[in-house]
Amino acid sequence: MAIKILISCLVFLSCFDDGWTRCSRSRPPKACGRSMTSNRGTIKSPRFPRPYLTAATYEDKVCTWLITLPYGQGIKLLLYGYDFAFERFRYTTYTDELQVFRDEMCGEESRIRQYQGNDTEYDIIHIPSNTACIKFFRRTTQNHSHTGFSMSYEAVDDNGECGTNGSSISSQEGYIHSPGYPAASYPQQINCTWVIQALPSQTIQVEFLDFQLSYIYSCDFAPDFVQIGSTNRTYEFKYCDQDTPSTFTSKKNIVWLYFKTGRWRNRGFLVYYKAIGGSPLPDISGADYWTSWARSDWRYFEETRWSSTRGYKKNSEPIDAFAVSTCSSPSLQSAAYLLLATLSSLTLIPGSFLFWTPSLDSNR
């Protein structure tokens, strides 16, 4: 009996080894950064929420994530706090850092945020562009307690053309900015009108994120100005100069935004609008989507649950679909059935269990 059990175990381990080897090799190491093209996603430091490790190679000292969306969309980033390590030596201080750029070039001239140290408060980062770059610098030599960062992003409408050409913007949130913003000054002698329209039971909140126009004497005589109101017949407010206007909330479900320029130039303005109140679209589960890792040819599956009021409720770790299918290979199934048959022949388990095991595979 002991010899039969020993032989059966050796046969099982031999069959299992082939399947396990192929399964373990099918999952590539997680890349330090990647390219992302989905309308929603998450970005995390390595091992988050556990402490991130020191970079194993020189290339991994900088993790880079690139977000590329279709033209006409902007990117809204939500950073859920951060915790970075730092080290002080006699003459030098090494600090881990997170940087955010408004385009895929990741150049210093396009950097809009940088974070060091730690902070538990979340931060919203508005990018009126269909591309963005996020870099995580690991400069310290060791880390035992700092967890890094976690952020999510969402695609929103981006309206950078001069007006809506008679149509209205019906999205629940998005950006409006002067032509050329922020890379170039706005053109001379233009008249642009945007119309934002929400559901009948909603109002619209308009927040000026950036505002830099030319100025002469007073707003009554300024050649460059912005007007905003619930109707285009009697705009409620007029803004000029470089003082950021207060947040505007409409009395109805429509907002008119008018921008006029003269013979001067300046940076321009950036507006974030959002429909509030009423009965907006309910929270829905985000559609499953595939993404491509920057340093691998493998495909990863991400499951997300989206909330229109708060952002991501849950985001699981990426699942390697190819590895999952390989782990369920015929070699492993055959090895499992062989073990069950052997144990059944030795009366160690009921033989009827063999007739139940195929149903496990058929119900997957």
Side-chain angles (χ1 to χ4, degrees):
M1 179 66 70
I3 295 177
K4 289 183 179 180
I5 295 177
L6 178 61
I7 294 175
S8 301
C9 290
L10 291 176
V11 173
F12 170 74
L13 291 175
S14 176
C15 297
F16 180 77
D17 179 68
D18 176 65
W20 175 257
T21 301
R22 289 192 294 128
C23 174
S24 60
R25 289 178 180 176
S26 64
R27 181 187 293 274
K30 288 186 177 180
C32 178
R34 54 175 166 153
S35 298
M36 311 178 74
T37 57
S38 300
N39 286 341
R40 299 166 181 164
T42 58
I43 299 173
K44 302 177 182 179
S45 55
R47 290 169 45 95
F48 184 89
R50 294 177 294 169
Y52 57 87
L53 299 178
T54 303
T57 64
Y58 181 81
E59 290 77 12
D60 283 346
K61 285 184 176 294
V62 182
C63 304
T64 303
W65 292 266
L66 296 177
I67 304 174
T68 304
L69 302 180
Y71 179 78
Q73 291 185 325
I75 302 171
K76 185 177 71 172
L77 288 166
L78 181 57
L79 177 62
Y80 299 99
Y82 53 92
D83 181 18
F84 300 136
F86 68 94
E87 294 174 342
R88 286 197 182 101
F89 294 96
R90 185 173 181 180
Y91 299 108
T92 309
T93 299
Y94 296 97
T95 306
D96 295 337
E97 184 179 9
L98 177 68
Q99 296 183 2
V100 180
F101 305 82
R102 66 170 180 262
D103 57 35
E104 75 279 7
M105 302 304 295
C106 311
E108 288 297 317
E109 66 281 356
S110 65
R111 186 177 63 189
I112 57 177
R113 291 285 196 283
Q114 62 183 102
Y115 302 91
Q116 297 179 352
N118 61 82
D119 194 341
T120 58
E121 295 295 326
Y122 68 83
D123 188 19
I124 300 178
I125 308 166
H126 298 280
I127 303 178
S129 170
N130 65 322
T131 59
C133 171
I134 292 91
K135 282 190 173 185
F136 176 44
F137 296 84
R138 288 186 285 181
R139 303 185 179 104
T140 56
T141 58
Q142 58 182 347
N143 175 45
H144 302 292
S145 59
H146 299 279
T147 57
F149 73 95
S150 173
M151 67 165 52
S152 65
Y153 77 86
E154 174 194 4
V156 298
D157 283 352
D158 179 40
N159 301 275
E161 302 295 333
C162 184
T164 53
N165 295 321
S167 60
S168 60
I169 303 169
S170 58
S171 58
Q172 290 286 299
E173 62 177 329
Y175 303 119
I176 294 176
H177 54 84
S178 53
Y181 179 93
S185 300
Y186 50 76
Q188 299 172 326
Q189 307 294 339
I190 60 173
N191 294 271
C192 308
T193 302
W194 295 269
V195 183
I196 311 170
Q197 189 164 11
L199 299 177
S201 58
Q202 293 180 310
T203 58
I204 303 170
Q205 189 176 77
V206 179
E207 180 183 1
F208 287 84
L209 304 176
D210 192 10
F211 193 83
Q212 298 185 39
L213 306 184
S214 62
Y215 174 75
I216 295 180
Y217 305 117
S218 69
C219 276
D220 294 333
F221 304 99
D224 302 346
F225 61 87
V226 170
Q227 287 182 303
I228 189 171
S230 298
T231 173
N232 62 337
R233 292 189 298 270
T234 57
Y235 287 99
E236 299 173 40
F237 295 97
K238 182 178 181 180
Y239 304 113
C240 62
D241 201 3
Q242 300 182 20
D243 296 328
T244 301
S246 302
T247 300
F248 172 82
T249 303
S250 66
K251 298 178 181 179
K252 301 179 180 179
N253 67 324
I254 190 169
V255 165
W256 289 75
L257 189 69
Y258 176 66
F259 176 47
K260 184 182 185 305
T261 67
R263 59 189 182 90
W264 307 106
R265 295 177 181 269
N266 212 316
R267 178 184 176 90
F269 68 90
L270 171 63
V271 159
Y272 171 65
Y273 67 87
K274 184 175 182 180
I276 57 176
S279 301
L281 296 176
D283 293 352
I284 59 174
S285 178
D288 297 339
Y289 55 87
W290 294 94
T291 56
S292 299
W293 287 77
R295 302 185 182 182
S296 169
D297 292 332
W298 306 89
R299 296 192 301 174
Y300 282 75
F301 179 75
E302 291 185 339
E303 177 183 349
T304 60
R305 296 179 184 176
W306 176 253
S307 167
S308 62
T309 58
R310 183 61 178 85
Y312 281 94
K313 292 181 179 178
K314 177 182 178 182
N315 190 86
S316 60
E317 287 294 324
I319 300 174
D320 190 338
F322 189 87
V324 171
S325 63
T326 306
C327 290
S328 302
S329 63
S331 297
L332 291 182
Q333 296 176 10
S334 301
Y337 295 152
L338 176 62
L339 176 62
L340 293 174
T342 303
L343 295 178
S344 177
S345 66
L346 298 175
T347 67
L348 296 180
I349 64 172
S352 60
F353 185 75
L354 291 175
F355 298 96
W356 175 75
T357 51
S359 65
L360 294 179
D361 182 69
S362 62
N363 291 332
R364 288 185 305 174

